[in-house]
Amino acid sequence: MNGTSPDFRAEARASRANPEAHFADLTGLRALVTGASSGIGRAIALELAQGGADVTIHCRESREAAEEVAFACRRLGREADVVVADLADHEQRSAFVPQTWPEGAGYDIWVNNAGADLLTGDHAHEDYTQKLDRLMHIDLLGTMVLSQIGRAHV
C-alpha cells in the first residue's frame, strides 16, 4: 500500500467530482509558495487562496506574472504579496526568509516549488555541467537552505 488512507482517497474523488470542494478550510493561515508566478506554483498559490489562506507569491524575475497571481488571490478575498529573489544566489537566498516573514507572525504553509527550468528557460542552451550546477543550487541547495532557515523562524 502507499500509505494513503481510504478516507483521503474518497475525499479526493469527491473533490474531483465537485471542483468547488476543498480538502480543508485554510482561513486565517499564511502560506508562502516559491516559484509561484507560473505553472504548478501558480496553481498551488491560487488553490491555497481559494481555500482561504493568505499567500506570499515568490518569483525569480517575473514580477509582472507574480503580481497577476497575487491579484487573482486578492480577487478571492485573500491578502497576497510578492517577493522577488533568485534562490540560486546565496545572498538573496539568505535574505529571503527575513524579507518575507510576516511581522510578528510566521507561515503555516510553506511550499518549496521553485525549480530550475533547464529545458525551455533562459538556461536551455547551457551544457550539461552548467545545467547540473544550476539545478543543484536551486532545486536542492535552495530548497534545503530555505527549509532550514524557515524552520528556525517557526
Side-chain angles (χ1 to χ4, degrees):
M1 286 300 260
N2 63 7
T4 304
S5 73
D7 293 336
F8 180 79
R9 287 193 298 266
E11 194 171 337
R13 281 192 298 277
S15 177
R16 285 192 296 273
N18 178 6
E20 299 300 314
H22 296 282
F23 290 114
D25 180 8
L26 305 177
T27 302
L29 299 182
R30 293 263 323 145
L32 178 137
V33 183
T34 65
S37 62
S38 65
I40 294 170
R42 178 183 188 280
I44 292 169
L46 292 174
E47 186 62 26
L48 290 167
Q50 184 71 34
D54 296 327
V55 186
T56 296
I57 311 297
H58 161 262
C59 67
R60 178 173 54 97
E61 61 186 9
S62 310
R63 178 176 280 283
E64 185 175 331
E67 290 291 354
E68 290 174 11
V69 177
F71 179 75
C73 291
R74 290 184 201 111
R75 287 186 51 204
L76 294 168
R78 307 313 319 150
E79 291 184 23
D81 54 344
V82 171
V83 62
V84 179
D86 183 351
L87 300 181
D89 180 275
H90 173 71
E91 289 181 13
Q92 291 185 46
R93 191 172 52 237
S94 296
F96 182 76
V97 171
Q99 175 188 358
T100 63
W101 210 254
E103 189 69 33
Y107 287 104
D108 303 292
I109 302 165
W110 184 287
V111 180
N112 282 315
N113 174 72
D117 180 2
L118 302 175
L119 299 177
T120 62
D122 295 340
H123 304 280
H125 68 280
E126 293 178 349
D127 69 30
Y128 177 77
T129 304
Q130 290 171 313
K131 287 180 180 180
L132 183 59
D133 185 59
R134 186 139 187 90
L135 180 89
M136 295 296 285
H137 276 88
I138 296 174
D139 291 38
L140 181 62
L141 187 60
T143 296
M144 292 178 70
V145 170
L146 284 181
S147 295
Q148 181 182 29
I149 294 169
R151 183 174 156 245
H153 284 81
V154 172

Coordinates of all heavy atoms in Angstrom, one line a residue, residues 51-135:
G51 N -8.9 28.2 -0.8 CA -9.2 27.5 0.4 C -9.2 28.5 1.6 O -9.6 28.1 2.7
G52 N -8.8 29.7 1.4 CA -8.9 30.7 2.5 C -7.6 31.3 3.0 O -7.6 32.1 3.9
A53 N -6.4 30.8 2.5 CA -5.1 31.2 3.0 C -4.7 32.5 2.4 O -5.0 32.8 1.2 CB -4.1 30.1 2.8
D54 N -4.0 33.3 3.2 CA -3.3 34.5 2.6 C -2.0 34.0 2.0 O -1.4 33.1 2.6 CB -3.0 35.5 3.7 CG -4.3 36.1 4.2 OD1 -5.3 36.2 3.5 OD2 -4.4 36.4 5.4
V55 N -1.5 34.5 0.9 CA -0.4 33.9 0.2 C 0.7 34.9 -0.2 O 0.4 36.0 -0.6 CB -0.9 33.2 -1.1 CG1 0.2 32.4 -1.8 CG2 -2.1 32.3 -0.8
T56 N 1.9 34.5 0.1 CA 3.1 35.2 -0.4 C 3.5 34.5 -1.7 O 3.8 33.3 -1.7 CB 4.2 35.2 0.6 OG1 3.8 36.0 1.7 CG2 5.5 35.9 0.0
I57 N 3.6 35.2 -2.8 CA 4.0 34.7 -4.1 C 5.5 35.0 -4.3 O 5.8 36.2 -4.3 CB 3.1 35.4 -5.2 CG1 1.6 35.3 -4.9 CG2 3.5 34.8 -6.6 CD1 1.0 34.0 -4.8
H58 N 6.3 34.0 -4.6 CA 7.7 34.2 -4.9 C 7.9 34.0 -6.4 O 7.3 33.2 -7.0 CB 8.6 33.2 -4.1 CG 9.9 33.1 -4.7 ND1 10.2 32.0 -5.6 CD2 11.0 33.9 -4.7 CE1 11.5 32.2 -6.0 NE2 12.0 33.3 -5.5
C59 N 8.8 34.8 -6.9 CA 9.3 34.6 -8.3 C 10.8 35.0 -8.4 O 11.3 35.7 -7.5 CB 8.5 35.5 -9.3 SG 8.7 37.2 -9.1
R60 N 11.4 34.6 -9.4 CA 12.8 34.9 -9.6 C 13.0 36.3 -10.2 O 13.8 37.1 -9.9 CB 13.6 33.8 -10.4 CG 15.0 34.1 -10.6 CD 15.8 33.0 -11.3 NE 15.1 32.5 -12.5 CZ 15.5 32.9 -13.7 NH1 16.5 33.7 -13.9 NH2 14.9 32.4 -14.7
E61 N 12.2 36.5 -11.3 CA 12.3 37.7 -12.0 C 11.0 38.2 -12.7 O 10.9 39.3 -13.2 CB 13.4 37.6 -13.1 CG 13.2 36.6 -14.1 CD 14.4 36.4 -15.1 OE1 15.4 37.0 -14.8 OE2 14.2 35.7 -16.1
S62 N 10.0 37.3 -12.7 CA 8.7 37.6 -13.4 C 7.8 38.3 -12.5 O 6.7 37.8 -12.2 CB 8.1 36.3 -13.8 OG 9.0 35.5 -14.5
R63 N 8.2 39.5 -12.0 CA 7.3 40.3 -11.1 C 5.9 40.5 -11.6 O 4.9 40.4 -10.9 CB 7.9 41.6 -10.7 CG 7.0 42.4 -9.7 CD 7.6 43.7 -9.3 NE 8.5 43.5 -8.2 CZ 8.2 43.3 -6.9 NH1 6.9 43.2 -6.6 NH2 9.1 43.2 -6.0
E64 N 5.8 40.8 -12.9 CA 4.5 41.1 -13.5 C 3.6 39.9 -13.4 O 2.4 40.0 -13.0 CB 4.7 41.6 -15.0 CG 3.3 42.0 -15.6 CD 3.5 42.5 -17.0 OE1 4.6 43.1 -17.3 OE2 2.6 42.4 -17.8
A65 N 4.1 38.7 -13.8 CA 3.3 37.5 -13.7 C 3.0 37.2 -12.2 O 1.8 36.8 -11.9 CB 4.1 36.3 -14.3
A66 N 3.9 37.4 -11.3 CA 3.6 37.2 -9.9 C 2.6 38.1 -9.4 O 1.7 37.7 -8.6 CB 4.9 37.3 -9.1
E67 N 2.6 39.4 -9.8 CA 1.6 40.3 -9.4 C 0.2 39.9 -9.9 O -0.8 40.1 -9.3 CB 2.0 41.7 -9.9 CG 3.1 42.4 -9.2 CD 2.9 42.7 -7.8 OE1 1.8 42.6 -7.2 OE2 3.9 43.1 -7.1
E68 N 0.2 39.3 -11.1 CA -1.1 38.8 -11.6 C -1.7 37.7 -10.8 O -2.9 37.6 -10.5 CB -1.0 38.3 -13.1 CG -0.7 39.5 -14.1 CD -0.4 39.0 -15.5 OE1 -0.6 37.8 -15.7 OE2 0.0 39.8 -16.3
V69 N -0.8 36.8 -10.3 CA -1.2 35.7 -9.4 C -1.7 36.4 -8.1 O -2.8 36.0 -7.5 CB -0.1 34.7 -9.1 CG1 -0.5 33.7 -8.1 CG2 0.4 34.1 -10.4
A70 N -1.0 37.3 -7.5 CA -1.4 38.0 -6.3 C -2.7 38.7 -6.5 O -3.6 38.6 -5.6 CB -0.3 39.0 -5.9
F71 N -2.9 39.3 -7.6 CA -4.2 40.0 -7.9 C -5.3 39.0 -7.9 O -6.4 39.2 -7.3 CB -4.1 40.7 -9.2 CG -5.4 41.4 -9.6 CD1 -5.8 42.6 -9.0 CD2 -6.2 40.9 -10.6 CE1 -7.0 43.2 -9.3 CE2 -7.4 41.5 -10.9 CZ -7.8 42.7 -10.3
A72 N -5.1 37.8 -8.5 CA -6.1 36.8 -8.6 C -6.4 36.3 -7.1 O -7.6 36.0 -6.8 CB -5.7 35.6 -9.4
C73 N -5.4 36.2 -6.3 CA -5.6 35.8 -4.9 C -6.5 36.8 -4.2 O -7.4 36.5 -3.4 CB -4.3 35.6 -4.2 SG -3.4 34.1 -4.7
R74 N -6.2 38.1 -4.4 CA -6.9 39.2 -3.8 C -8.4 39.2 -4.2 O -9.3 39.5 -3.5 CB -6.2 40.5 -4.1 CG -4.9 40.7 -3.3 CD -4.3 42.1 -3.6 NE -2.9 42.0 -3.3 CZ -2.0 42.1 -4.2 NH1 -2.3 42.4 -5.5 NH2 -0.7 42.1 -3.9
R75 N -8.6 38.9 -5.5 CA -10.0 38.8 -6.0 C -10.8 37.7 -5.3 O -12.0 37.8 -5.3 CB -10.0 38.5 -7.5 CG -9.6 39.8 -8.3 CD -9.7 39.6 -9.8 NE -11.0 39.1 -10.2 CZ -11.2 38.5 -11.3 NH1 -10.2 38.3 -12.1 NH2 -12.4 38.1 -11.6
L76 N -10.1 36.7 -4.7 CA -10.7 35.7 -3.9 C -10.9 36.1 -2.5 O -11.3 35.3 -1.6 CB -9.9 34.4 -4.0 CG -9.8 33.7 -5.3 CD1 -8.7 32.6 -5.3 CD2 -11.1 33.1 -5.7
G77 N -10.6 37.4 -2.2 CA -10.7 37.9 -0.8 C -9.6 37.6 0.1 O -9.7 37.8 1.3
R78 N -8.4 37.3 -0.4 CA -7.3 36.9 0.4 C -6.2 38.0 0.3 O -6.2 38.7 -0.7 CB -6.7 35.6 0.0 CG -7.6 34.4 -0.1 CD -8.5 34.2 1.1 NE -7.9 34.4 2.4 CZ -8.6 34.9 3.4 NH1 -9.8 35.2 3.4 NH2 -7.9 35.1 4.6
E79 N -5.4 38.1 1.3 CA -4.2 39.0 1.2 C -3.2 38.3 0.4 O -3.0 37.1 0.5 CB -3.7 39.3 2.6 CG -4.6 40.2 3.4 CD -4.0 40.6 4.7 OE1 -2.8 40.6 4.9 OE2 -4.8 40.9 5.6
A80 N -2.4 39.0 -0.4 CA -1.3 38.4 -1.2 C -0.3 39.4 -1.4 O -0.6 40.6 -1.6 CB -1.9 37.9 -2.5
D81 N 1.0 39.0 -1.3 CA 2.1 39.9 -1.6 C 3.1 39.1 -2.5 O 3.0 37.9 -2.7 CB 2.7 40.5 -0.4 CG 3.2 39.4 0.6 OD1 2.7 38.3 0.5 OD2 4.0 39.7 1.5
V82 N 4.0 39.9 -3.0 CA 5.0 39.3 -4.0 C 6.4 39.6 -3.5 O 6.7 40.7 -3.0 CB 4.8 39.9 -5.4 CG1 6.0 39.5 -6.3 CG2 3.5 39.5 -6.0
V83 N 7.3 38.6 -3.6 CA 8.7 38.8 -3.3 C 9.5 38.2 -4.4 O 9.2 37.1 -4.9 CB 9.1 38.1 -1.9 CG1 8.9 36.6 -1.9 CG2 10.5 38.5 -1.5
V84 N 10.5 39.0 -4.8 CA 11.4 38.6 -5.9 C 12.8 38.2 -5.4 O 13.4 39.0 -4.6 CB 11.5 39.7 -7.0 CG1 12.4 39.3 -8.1 CG2 10.2 40.2 -7.5
A85 N 13.2 37.0 -5.7 CA 14.6 36.6 -5.2 C 15.1 35.5 -6.1 O 14.3 34.6 -6.4 CB 14.5 36.2 -3.8
D86 N 16.3 35.5 -6.5 CA 17.0 34.4 -7.2 C 17.5 33.4 -6.1 O 18.5 33.7 -5.5 CB 18.1 34.9 -8.1 CG 18.7 33.9 -8.9 OD1 18.4 32.7 -8.7 OD2 19.6 34.2 -9.8
L87 N 16.9 32.3 -6.0 CA 17.2 31.4 -5.0 C 18.5 30.6 -5.2 O 19.0 29.9 -4.4 CB 16.1 30.4 -4.7 CG 14.8 31.0 -4.3 CD1 13.7 30.0 -4.1 CD2 14.9 31.9 -3.1
A88 N 19.1 30.8 -6.4 CA 20.4 30.3 -6.7 C 21.5 31.2 -6.2 O 22.7 30.7 -6.0 CB 20.6 30.1 -8.2
D89 N 21.2 32.4 -5.8 CA 22.1 33.4 -5.3 C 22.2 33.3 -3.8 O 21.2 33.5 -3.1 CB 21.7 34.8 -5.8 CG 22.7 35.8 -5.3 OD1 22.5 36.3 -4.1 OD2 23.6 36.2 -6.0
H90 N 23.3 33.0 -3.2 CA 23.5 32.8 -1.8 C 23.0 34.0 -1.0 O 22.2 33.8 0.0 CB 25.0 32.6 -1.4 CG 25.2 32.5 0.0 ND1 24.8 31.4 0.8 CD2 25.8 33.4 0.9 CE1 25.1 31.7 2.1 NE2 25.8 32.8 2.1
E91 N 23.3 35.2 -1.3 CA 22.9 36.4 -0.6 C 21.4 36.6 -0.6 O 20.7 36.9 0.4 CB 23.6 37.7 -1.1 CG 25.1 37.7 -0.7 CD 25.8 38.9 -1.2 OE1 25.1 39.9 -1.6 OE2 27.0 38.9 -1.2
Q92 N 20.8 36.4 -1.8 CA 19.3 36.6 -1.9 C 18.6 35.5 -1.2 O 17.6 35.7 -0.6 CB 18.9 36.6 -3.4 CG 19.4 37.9 -4.1 CD 18.9 37.9 -5.5 OE1 17.7 37.7 -5.8 NE2 19.7 38.2 -6.5
R93 N 19.1 34.3 -1.3 CA 18.6 33.1 -0.6 C 18.6 33.4 1.0 O 17.6 33.1 1.7 CB 19.3 31.9 -1.0 CG 18.6 30.6 -0.5 CD 19.3 29.4 -1.1 NE 20.7 29.3 -0.9 CZ 21.7 29.2 -1.8 NH1 21.3 29.2 -3.1 NH2 22.9 29.2 -1.5
S94 N 19.7 33.9 1.5 CA 19.9 34.1 2.9 C 18.9 35.2 3.4 O 18.5 35.1 4.5 CB 21.3 34.5 3.2 OG 22.2 33.4 2.9
A95 N 18.7 36.2 2.6 CA 17.8 37.3 2.9 C 16.3 37.0 2.7 O 15.5 37.7 3.2 CB 18.2 38.5 2.1
F96 N 16.1 35.9 2.0 CA 14.7 35.6 1.6 C 13.7 35.4 2.8 O 12.7 36.1 2.8 CB 14.7 34.3 0.8 CG 13.3 33.9 0.2 CD1 12.8 34.6 -0.8 CD2 12.6 32.9 0.8 CE1 11.6 34.3 -1.4 CE2 11.4 32.5 0.3 CZ 10.9 33.2 -0.8
V97 N 14.1 34.6 3.7 CA 13.1 34.3 4.9 C 12.9 35.6 5.7 O 11.8 36.0 5.9 CB 13.6 33.1 5.7 CG1 12.7 33.0 7.0 CG2 13.5 31.9 4.9
P98 N 14.0 36.3 6.1 CA 13.7 37.5 6.9 C 12.9 38.6 6.1 O 12.1 39.3 6.7 CB 15.1 38.0 7.2 CG 16.0 36.8 7.2 CD 15.4 35.9 6.1
Q99 N 13.2 38.6 4.8 CA 12.5 39.6 4.0 C 11.0 39.2 3.8 O 10.1 40.1 3.8 CB 13.1 39.6 2.6 CG 12.4 40.4 1.6 CD 13.0 40.3 0.2 OE1 13.9 39.5 -0.1 NE2 12.4 40.9 -0.8
T100 N 10.6 38.0 3.8 CA 9.3 37.6 3.6 C 8.5 37.3 4.8 O 7.3 37.1 4.8 CB 9.2 36.3 2.7 OG1 9.8 35.2 3.3 CG2 9.8 36.6 1.3
W101 N 9.2 37.1 6.0 CA 8.5 36.7 7.2 C 7.5 37.8 7.6 O 7.9 38.9 7.9 CB 9.5 36.4 8.3 CG 9.1 35.4 9.2 CD1 8.6 35.6 10.5 CD2 9.0 34.0 9.0 NE1 8.3 34.4 11.1 CE2 8.5 33.4 10.2 CE3 9.3 33.2 7.9 CZ2 8.3 32.0 10.3 CZ3 9.1 31.8 8.1 CH2 8.6 31.3 9.2
P102 N 6.2 37.4 7.8 CA 5.2 38.5 8.2 C 5.6 39.0 9.6 O 6.0 38.2 10.5 CB 3.9 37.7 8.3 CG 4.1 36.5 7.5 CD 5.6 36.2 7.5
E103 N 5.5 40.3 9.8 CA 5.8 40.9 11.1 C 5.0 40.3 12.2 O 3.8 40.3 12.2 CB 5.5 42.4 11.0 CG 6.0 43.2 12.1 CD 7.5 43.3 12.2 OE1 8.1 43.4 11.1 OE2 8.1 43.4 13.3
G104 N 5.8 39.7 13.2 CA 5.2 39.2 14.4 C 4.4 37.9 14.1 O 3.7 37.4 15.0
A105 N 4.6 37.3 12.9 CA 3.9 36.0 12.6 C 4.8 35.1 11.8 O 5.9 35.5 11.6 CB 2.6 36.3 11.8
G106 N 4.3 34.0 11.5 CA 5.1 33.1 10.7 C 4.2 32.5 9.6 O 3.0 32.9 9.4
Y107 N 4.7 31.5 8.9 CA 3.9 30.9 7.9 C 3.4 29.6 8.4 O 4.1 28.8 9.2 CB 4.7 30.6 6.6 CG 5.0 31.8 5.8 CD1 6.2 32.5 5.9 CD2 4.0 32.4 5.1 CE1 6.5 33.6 5.1 CE2 4.2 33.6 4.3 CZ 5.5 34.2 4.4 OH 5.7 35.3 3.7
D108 N 2.2 29.2 8.1 CA 1.6 28.0 8.5 C 1.8 26.9 7.4 O 1.8 25.7 7.7 CB 0.0 28.2 8.7 CG -0.3 29.2 9.7 OD1 0.0 29.0 10.9 OD2 -0.8 30.3 9.3
I109 N 2.0 27.4 6.2 CA 2.1 26.5 5.0 C 3.3 27.1 4.2 O 3.4 28.3 3.9 CB 0.9 26.5 4.1 CG1 -0.3 26.1 4.9 CG2 1.1 25.7 2.9 CD1 -1.7 26.4 4.2
W110 N 4.3 26.2 3.9 CA 5.5 26.6 3.1 C 5.6 25.6 2.0 O 5.8 24.4 2.2 CB 6.7 26.5 4.1 CG 7.9 27.0 3.4 CD1 8.7 26.3 2.5 CD2 8.6 28.2 3.7 NE1 9.8 27.0 2.2 CE2 9.8 28.2 2.9 CE3 8.4 29.2 4.6 CZ2 10.7 29.2 2.9 CZ3 9.3 30.3 4.6 CH2 10.4 30.3 3.8
V111 N 5.6 26.1 0.7 CA 5.7 25.2 -0.4 C 6.9 25.5 -1.2 O 7.1 26.6 -1.8 CB 4.4 25.3 -1.3 CG1 4.6 24.4 -2.6 CG2 3.1 25.0 -0.6
N112 N 7.9 24.6 -1.2 CA 9.2 24.8 -1.9 C 8.9 24.3 -3.3 O 9.2 23.1 -3.6 CB 10.3 24.0 -1.3 CG 10.9 24.7 -0.1 OD1 11.1 25.9 -0.1 ND2 11.1 23.9 1.0
N113 N 8.4 25.1 -4.2 CA 8.1 24.7 -5.6 C 9.1 25.2 -6.6 O 9.2 24.6 -7.7 CB 6.7 25.3 -5.9 CG 6.4 25.0 -7.4 OD1 6.1 23.9 -7.8 ND2 6.4 26.1 -8.2
A114 N 9.9 26.2 -6.3 CA 10.8 26.8 -7.2 C 11.8 25.7 -7.8 O 12.2 24.9 -7.0 CB 11.6 27.9 -6.6
G115 N 12.0 25.8 -9.0 CA 12.9 24.8 -9.7 C 13.5 25.5 -10.9 O 13.0 26.4 -11.5
A116 N 14.7 24.9 -11.3 CA 15.4 25.4 -12.5 C 14.7 24.9 -13.7 O 14.5 23.7 -13.9 CB 16.8 25.0 -12.4
D117 N 14.3 25.8 -14.6 CA 13.7 25.4 -15.9 C 14.9 25.3 -16.9 O 15.3 26.3 -17.5 CB 12.7 26.5 -16.4 CG 12.1 26.1 -17.7 OD1 12.4 25.1 -18.3 OD2 11.3 27.0 -18.2
L118 N 15.3 24.1 -17.0 CA 16.5 23.8 -17.8 C 16.2 23.4 -19.2 O 17.1 23.3 -20.0 CB 17.4 22.8 -17.1 CG 17.8 23.1 -15.7 CD1 18.6 21.9 -15.1 CD2 18.7 24.4 -15.7
L119 N 15.0 23.1 -19.5 CA 14.6 22.6 -20.8 C 14.1 23.7 -21.8 O 14.5 23.7 -22.9 CB 13.6 21.5 -20.7 CG 14.0 20.3 -19.9 CD1 12.8 19.3 -19.8 CD2 15.2 19.6 -20.6
T120 N 13.4 24.7 -21.2 CA 12.8 25.7 -22.1 C 13.1 27.1 -21.6 O 12.8 28.1 -22.3 CB 11.3 25.6 -22.1 OG1 10.7 25.8 -20.8 CG2 10.8 24.2 -22.6
G121 N 13.7 27.3 -20.5 CA 14.0 28.6 -19.9 C 15.3 29.2 -20.5 O 15.9 28.8 -21.5
D122 N 15.7 30.3 -19.8 CA 16.9 31.0 -20.2 C 18.2 30.2 -20.2 O 19.1 30.5 -20.9 CB 17.2 32.2 -19.2 CG 16.1 33.2 -19.2 OD1 15.3 33.3 -20.2 OD2 16.0 33.9 -18.2
H123 N 18.2 29.0 -19.5 CA 19.4 28.2 -19.4 C 19.3 27.0 -20.3 O 20.2 26.1 -20.2 CB 19.6 27.8 -18.0 CG 19.7 29.0 -17.1 ND1 20.8 29.8 -17.0 CD2 18.8 29.7 -16.3 CE1 20.6 30.8 -16.2 NE2 19.4 30.8 -15.7
A124 N 18.4 26.9 -21.2 CA 18.2 25.7 -22.1 C 19.5 25.5 -23.0 O 19.8 24.4 -23.3 CB 17.0 25.9 -22.9
H125 N 20.2 26.6 -23.3 CA 21.3 26.5 -24.2 C 22.6 26.0 -23.5 O 23.6 25.7 -24.1 CB 21.6 27.9 -24.8 CG 22.1 28.9 -23.8 ND1 21.2 29.5 -23.0 CD2 23.3 29.3 -23.5 CE1 21.9 30.3 -22.2 NE2 23.2 30.2 -22.5
E126 N 22.6 26.0 -22.1 CA 23.8 25.7 -21.4 C 24.2 24.2 -21.6 O 23.3 23.3 -21.8 CB 23.6 26.0 -19.9 CG 23.5 27.5 -19.7 CD 23.3 27.8 -18.2 OE1 23.0 26.9 -17.4 OE2 23.3 29.0 -17.9
D127 N 25.5 23.9 -21.3 CA 25.9 22.5 -21.4 C 25.4 21.7 -20.1 O 25.0 22.3 -19.2 CB 27.4 22.4 -21.6 CG 28.2 22.8 -20.5 OD1 27.8 22.7 -19.3 OD2 29.4 23.2 -20.7
Y128 N 25.6 20.4 -20.2 CA 25.1 19.6 -19.1 C 25.6 20.0 -17.7 O 24.9 20.0 -16.8 CB 25.5 18.1 -19.4 CG 25.1 17.1 -18.4 CD1 23.8 16.7 -18.2 CD2 26.1 16.7 -17.5 CE1 23.4 15.8 -17.2 CE2 25.7 15.8 -16.5 CZ 24.4 15.4 -16.3 OH 24.0 14.5 -15.4
T129 N 26.9 20.3 -17.6 CA 27.5 20.6 -16.4 C 27.0 21.9 -15.8 O 26.7 22.0 -14.6 CB 29.1 20.7 -16.5 OG1 29.6 19.5 -17.0 CG2 29.7 21.0 -15.2
Q130 N 26.8 22.9 -16.7 CA 26.2 24.2 -16.2 C 24.7 24.0 -15.7 O 24.3 24.5 -14.7 CB 26.2 25.2 -17.4 CG 27.6 25.7 -17.7 CD 27.6 26.5 -19.0 OE1 27.0 26.1 -20.0 NE2 28.3 27.6 -18.9
K131 N 24.0 23.1 -16.5 CA 22.6 22.9 -16.1 C 22.6 22.1 -14.7 O 21.8 22.4 -13.9 CB 21.9 22.0 -17.1 CG 21.6 22.8 -18.4 CD 20.9 21.9 -19.4 CE 20.5 22.7 -20.6 NZ 19.8 21.8 -21.6
L132 N 23.5 21.2 -14.6 CA 23.5 20.4 -13.3 C 23.9 21.3 -12.1 O 23.3 21.2 -11.1 CB 24.5 19.3 -13.4 CG 24.6 18.3 -12.2 CD1 23.3 17.7 -11.9 CD2 25.7 17.3 -12.5
D133 N 24.8 22.2 -12.3 CA 25.2 23.2 -11.3 C 24.0 24.0 -10.9 O 23.7 24.2 -9.7 CB 26.3 24.0 -11.8 CG 26.8 25.0 -10.7 OD1 27.3 24.5 -9.6 OD2 26.8 26.2 -10.9
R134 N 23.3 24.5 -11.9 CA 22.1 25.4 -11.6 C 21.0 24.6 -10.9 O 20.4 25.1 -9.9 CB 21.5 26.0 -12.9 CG 20.4 26.9 -12.7 CD 20.6 28.1 -13.7 NE 19.6 29.2 -13.4 CZ 19.9 30.2 -12.5 NH1 21.0 30.3 -11.9 NH2 18.9 31.1 -12.3
L135 N 20.8 23.4 -11.4 CA 19.8 22.5 -10.8 C 20.1 22.3 -9.3 O 19.3 22.3 -8.4 CB 19.7 21.2 -11.5 CG 18.7 20.2 -11.0 CD1 17.4 20.4 -11.6 CD2 19.2 18.8 -11.2

